C-alpha cells in the first residue's frame, strides 16, 4: 500500500516533470526541456519502470536532436533500445530513430543495419506504420552508398504504400526524401514535382519547418531547372523567408537553408545576396564547429581538470601524509626539545642548589677560618709575650738566682750573709718556677705528664715510699690552659704542704680520668692538718682554685691516719674546646 | 785528674761566678771562658776540654749554631746547654745539633756539678717534655731515619719518659738498672743527632 502510494506519488512527479519539459519544448527551450526530461528519467528509474524510462530517454534524445547534439541523442536512443528490447512495449520505431542519428553522424553503415533490423522487426510484429519510415531511412542509406536506383525504387514503393494510408506526415517525409534523391540524381523535374506535392502536404499538416524547407528546395530546384527564371526562384525564396520567422530554429536546418539559399542566389546570378547567405552559412557553420570544438575543449578541459584535481588530491594526500609525518617528527622534536629543556633546567637548578650550599659552606668555612685566624693571632701574641718574659724577666731572675746561689755557696764567710743569700736564691727560684708554670700556660703542655714528672721530681728526695698512679694515655685529654695552671698550682701547693708540714714517710698520688671527671687523690701518712693550718691561706687557695673549675675538694685528716685530699673536677669544664 | 770545663756565656757575672764555683769544687777546673760563639769556635777545637757549658742566647751566633760546628770536630768534648729556663723547642734543637744535656740557670750549684760529672760519664738527662717532643717528632717527615730506627726498648723508655716517669721509676718498671736506662737515653740522643752531625761533617769537609 505504501509502495503503491509512493509509486503513485512518483508517477505524479514524473507527469509533472514531463509536463514542464513539454512546455519548454513548445517554447523551443530545449536545454530546460532536456533538464526536466532528465528529472523524469530519474523518477522513472526510481519507479523501476523500463517503458517509462525508455520514453523519457526518447524525450531527452529529441531535445539533444533539437540542440544538434546527435551523438548524445544516439546514446539516449541506444539506451532506450536496451531497455525496451525485452519489454512488451517494444516498438521498432526505435530503430528508425537510431538509424536517423547514425545518418546524421555520417555512419550510414550502421544506419542501414538499424533500418533493416527495424524493417525485419516491423514485419515480425506487423507494424505497418513504422516500416515506411524505416524504408525511407534505408533509401537514404542506399542513396549515400551510391545505389540511387534502389533508393528511388524503395522510396516510390514506400510512397505508394503510404498513400494508401492517411499518414500525411510520413508521406511528406517520403516525398521530401524522394525529392532530395531525385535532386541529387539531377532529375530536377521529378524532384520539383515531389517538392510541389510535399508542399501541399506540409501546408495541410501545418509543418512550418517542412513548408520553409520545401520552399527552399523548390527555389533551389527551380534554379537548377532554369537559372534564368529568376522571378520564380525569387518568389520561392521570398516565400521561404516569409515562413522563416515561424520555423523552429534548428541549427542544422539553418545551416542547410542558408547554404541552399546562397547557392540558389548564386545560380540565379545574384551574387550580393549569395554572398550574404554564404556569410550566414559560414558564420553558423563556424559557430557550430566552434561549439563542437568548444564542447570538445570543455570535455578535454573537464577531463584535464579532473585529472589535475585527482593529482592535486593525490599530492594533497601525499602532502597530508608528509605533513602528518612532519607533525609527528615535529612533535618528536618538540618533545625531545622539551625534554632537553627540562633536563637543562633541572641541571641548572641542581647546579644553583649546589652552588648555594657550596656558598653557604664557604661562608661558614670563612667564618670559621676567620675565627681560627683570630685565635691563632691571639695564640701568637701569647707566645710573643711569653718569649719576652722568658728573655727579659726570666734571664734576669735566673741571674739573681744563680748569683745568690753562688754567694750562699761561698765558704768561709759570715753565716748571716750565707743565710740571706740562700733566702734570695730560694725566693728567686720560686719566682722563676712560678713564671715557668705561667709560661707553660702560654705554651700548652700535657697536664698529666707534667703533673707526674713534677710529683716524681719533687718527692724524689723526700721519701723512698712514693706511689704514683697516673692514667696511661695522658695525651688524650686536652685540658685548657687556664685549668692546667689552676690544677697544677693546686697539686704543687698540696705536695708542698706534705713536704713541709706533714712529717709523712709515705705518699701516694693517684690520678684517674673517666668520661666525666678528672680525679686527683693525694694521701700521706703524716700528722694531719692542724687547726691553725686549716685556717691558713694554703687550703683556702686550693679550694678557690678548684671551685673556680666547678670542682669539689674533699679533705680527710687525722693524727693517726694522716691526710687524704681529693679533687674531683668535671671534665666538660676543663676540656679545651 | 780534674775535669776540664769550658764556659760559653755572654753575661760576665754568670760566667765568672760559674768559673769560681767550678774551680772551687774538687775534681773540676775551669780556665777557658768565652764571651761569644765565634770565640769558642776559634779556640775550643785546640783545647780538648771534657765538658762545655753553652748558653743558648748569645750575641751573634746562637749556642745551638755553635755546637753544630763544634761537635763534629771536638770528638772528646761533651756539650751541656745552659739556659735561663727550659724551652722545649730550643732544647730539642740543641739536642739534635749534638748537645748531650741541658741545665737551667736556676739549678742549684751542687746539681750543676752533678750534671757535669754525669754527662762526662756518658749519661744524658732527658725531661718528659723532651721525650714527648721526640715521640711526636716520629710523626713528622723531617724526622731523620735513624731516629725512626729506635729499638723497642728505647721506644719503651722514651714512652715512659714522655708520661713523666723518672729514670729510677723506669728502671724499676722495666727491671733494668738506672745505668742501663741512662745508656739507652744516650743512644736515643745519638740517633737524634745523626742527621745534623752528618750535615755538620759535610760542612766541615767542604771548608
Amino acid at each position: 500500500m505504501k509502495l503503491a502510494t509512493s509509486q503513485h506519488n512518483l508517477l505524479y512527479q514524473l507527469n509533472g516533470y514531463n509536463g514542464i519539459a513539454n512546455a519548454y519544448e513548445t517554447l523551443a527551450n530545449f536545454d530546460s526541456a532536456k533538464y526536466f526530461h532528465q528529472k523524469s528519467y530519474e523518477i522513472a528509474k526510481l519507479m523501476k519502470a523500463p517503458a517509462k524510462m525508455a520514453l523519457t530517454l526518447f524525450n531527452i534524445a529529441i531535445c539533444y536532436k533539437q540542440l544538434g547534439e546527435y551523438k548524445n541523442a544516439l546514446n539516449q536512443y541506444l539506451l532506450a533500445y536496451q531497455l525496451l528490447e525485452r519489454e512488451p512495449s517494444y516498438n521498432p520505431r526505435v530503430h528508425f530513430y537510431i538509424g536517423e542519428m547514425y545518418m546524421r553522424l555520417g555512419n550510414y553503415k550502421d544506419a542501414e543495419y538499424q533500418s533493416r533490423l527495424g524493417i525485419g522487426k516491423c514485419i515480425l510484429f506487423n507494424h505497418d506504420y513504422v516500416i515506411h519510415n524505416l524504408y525511407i531511412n534505408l533509401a537514404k542509406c542506399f542513396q549515400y552508398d551510391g545505389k540511387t536506383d534502389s533508393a528511388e525504387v524503395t522510396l516510390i514503393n514506400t510512397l505508394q504504400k503510404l498513400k494508401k494510408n492517411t499518414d500525411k506526415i510520413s508521406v511528406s517525409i517520403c516525398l521530401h526524401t524522394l525529392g532530395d534523391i531525385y535532386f541529387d540524381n539531377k532529375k530536377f523535374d521529378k524532384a520539383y514535382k515531389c517538392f510541389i506535392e510535399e508542399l501541399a502536404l506540409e501546408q495541410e499538416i501545418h509543418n512550418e519547418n517542412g513548408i520553409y524547407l520545401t520552399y527552399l528546395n523548390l527555389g533551389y530546384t527551380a534554379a537548377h531547372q532554369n537559372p534564368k527564371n529568376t522571378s520564380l526562384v525569387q518568389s520561392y525564396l521570398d516565400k521561404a523567408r516569409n515562413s522563416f520567422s515561424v520555423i523552429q530554429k534548428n541549427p542544422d536546418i539553418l545551416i542547410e537553408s542558408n547554404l541552399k539559399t546562397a547557392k540558389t542566389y548564386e545560380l540565379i546570378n545574384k551574387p550580393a545576396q549569395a554572398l550574404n547567405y554564404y556569410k550566414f552559412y559560414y558564420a553558423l557553420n563556424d559557430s557550430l564547429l566552434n561549439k563542437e570544438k568548444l564542447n570538445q575543449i570543455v570535455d578535454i578541459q573537464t577531463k584535464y581538470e579532473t585529472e589535475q584535481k585527482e593529482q592535486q588530491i593525490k599530492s594533497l594526500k601525499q602532502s597530508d601524509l608528509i605533513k602528518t609525518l612532519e607533525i609527528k617528527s615535529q612533535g618528536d622534536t618538540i618533545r625531545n626539545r622539551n625534554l632537553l629543556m627540562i633536563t637543562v633546567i633541572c641541571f641548572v637548578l641542581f647546579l644553583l642548589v649546589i652552588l648555594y650550599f657550596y656558598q653557604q659552606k664557604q661562608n661558614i668555612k670563612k667564618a670559621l677560618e676567620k675565627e681560627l685566624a683570630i685565635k691563632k693571632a691571639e695564640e701568637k701574641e701569647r707566645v710573643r709575650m711569653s718569649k719576652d718574659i722568658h728573655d727579659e724577666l726570666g734571664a734576669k731572675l735566673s741571674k739573681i738566682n744563680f748569683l745568690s746561689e753562688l754567694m750562699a755557696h761561698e765558704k768561709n764567710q759570715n753565716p748571716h750573709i750565707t743565710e740571706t743569700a740562700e733566702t734570695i736564691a730560694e725566693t728567686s727560684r720560686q719566682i722563676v718556677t712560678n713564671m715557668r708554670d705561667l709560661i707553660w700556660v702560654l705554651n700548652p703542655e700535657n697536664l698529666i705528664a707534667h703533673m707526674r714528672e713534677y710529683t716524681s721530681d719533687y718527692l724524689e728526695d723526700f721519701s723512698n715510699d712514693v706511689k704514683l698512679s697516673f692514667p696511661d694515655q695522658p695525651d688524650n685529654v686536652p685540658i685548657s690552659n687556664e685549668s692546667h695552671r689552676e690544677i697544677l698550682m693546686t697539686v704543687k701547693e698540696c705536695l708542698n704542704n706534705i713536704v713541709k708540714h706533714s712529717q709523712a714517710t709515705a705518699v701516694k698520688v693517684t690520678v684517674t680520668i673517666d668520661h666525666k671527671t678528672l680525679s686527683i687523690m693525694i694521701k700521706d701518712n703524716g700528722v694531719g692538718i692542724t687547726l691553725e693550718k686549716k685556717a691558713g691561706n694554703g687550703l683556702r687557695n686550693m679550694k678557690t682554685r678548684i671551685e673556680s673549675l666547678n670542682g669539689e675538694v674533699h679533705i680527710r685528716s687525722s693524727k693517726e691516719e694522716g691526710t687524704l685530699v681529693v679533687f674531683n673536677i668535671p671534665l666538660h669544664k676543663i676540656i679545651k674546646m | 785528674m780534674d775535669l776540664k770545663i769550658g764556659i760559653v756565656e755572654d753575661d760576665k757575672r754568670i760566667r765568672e761566678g760559674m768559673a769560681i764555683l767550678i774551680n772551687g769544687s774538687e775534681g773540676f777546673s775551669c780556665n777557658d771562658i768565652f764571651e761569644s760563639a765565634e770565640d769558642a769556635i776559634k779556640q775550643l777545637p785546640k783545647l780538648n776540654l771534657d765538658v762545655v757549658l753553652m748558653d743558648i742566647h748569645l750575641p751573634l751566633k746562637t749556642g745551638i749554631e755553635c755546637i753544630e760546628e763544634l761537635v763534629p770536630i771536638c770528638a772528646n768534648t761533651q756539650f751541656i746547654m745552659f739556659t735561663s729556663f727550659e724551652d722545649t723547642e730550643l732544647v730539642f734543637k740543641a739536642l739534635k745539633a749534638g748537645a748531650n744535656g741541658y741545665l737551667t740557670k736556676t739549678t742549684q750549684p751542687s746539681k750543676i756539678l752533678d750534671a757535669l760529672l754525669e754527662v762526662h760519664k756518658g749519661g744524658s738527662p732527658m725531661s718528659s717534655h723532651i721525650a714527648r717532643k721526640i715521640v711526636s717528632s716520629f710523626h713528622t717527615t723531617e724526622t731523620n731515619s735513624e731516629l725512626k730506627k729506635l729499638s723497642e726498648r728505647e721506644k719503651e723508655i722514651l714512652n715512659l719518659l714522655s708520661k713523666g716517669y723518672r729514670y729510677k721509676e723506669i728502671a724499676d718498671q722495666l727491671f733494668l738498672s738506672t745505668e742501663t736506662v741512662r745508656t739507652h737515653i744516650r743512644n736515643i740522643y745519638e740517633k737524634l743527632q745523626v742527621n745534623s752531625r752528618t750535615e755538620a761533617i759535610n760542612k766541615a769537609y767542604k771548608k
Side-chain angles (χ1 to χ4, degrees), chain A residues 448 452 467-471 508-512 519 521, chain B residues 165:
Chain A
I448 311 294
R452 194 186 197 296
K467 283 178 184 154
L468 302 180
S469 174
F470 281 76
K508 190 180 175 188
V509 181
T510 308
V511 178
T512 56
S519 177
M521 286 179 283
Chain B
Y165 284 73

Side-chain angles (χ1 to χ4, degrees), chain A residues 387 389-391 394-395 397-399 401-403 405-406 409-411 426 428-429 432 435-436 439-440 445-446 448-450 452-454 456-457 460-461 464 468 470-475, chain B residues 11 13-18 20-21 24-25 57 82-88 90 104-113 126-129 132 160-166 168-169 173:
Chain A
K387 269 217 174 329
I389 294 161
H390 176 274
D391 292 351
L397 274 167
S398 295
K399 192 174 166 183
N401 172 256
F402 183 71
L403 294 175
E405 289 279 7
L406 283 180
H409 207 257
E410 196 76 37
K411 285 157 191 170
E426 176 66 27
S428 60
R429 185 163 52 244
V432 171
M435 203 160 75
R436 214 169 97 166
I439 287 160
W440 269 329
E445 259 289 349
N446 184 299
I448 311 294
H450 191 196
R452 194 186 197 296
E453 191 184 29
Y454 181 87
S456 179
D457 199 25
E460 193 183 22
D461 298 330
N464 283 326
L468 302 180
F470 281 76
D472 216 30
Q473 299 265 302
D475 295 343
Chain B
D11 190 304
R13 294 297 310 173
I14 290 174
R15 68 173 181 262
E16 283 175 359
M18 183 62 87
I20 292 161
L21 172 74
S25 304
H57 297 281
F82 193 55
T83 74
S84 298
F85 48 14
E86 197 171 296
D87 181 320
T88 315
L90 284 177
T104 61
K105 285 173 182 173
T106 53
T107 312
Q108 284 167 321
S110 58
K111 286 199 175 179
I112 290 173
L113 297 173
M126 188 185 284
S127 70
S128 69
H129 308 122
R132 270 199 298 284
L160 287 170
L161 267 175
S162 73
K163 286 178 187 170
Y165 284 73
R166 311 197 73 246
K168 197 170 160 287
E169 290 176 291
Q173 187 123 358

Side-chain angles (χ1 to χ4, degrees), chain B residues 169-181:
Chain B
E169 290 176 291
I170 294 167
D172 290 346
Q173 187 123 358
L174 301 176
F175 305 105
L176 300 169
S177 71
T178 315
E179 281 311 304
T180 315
V181 173

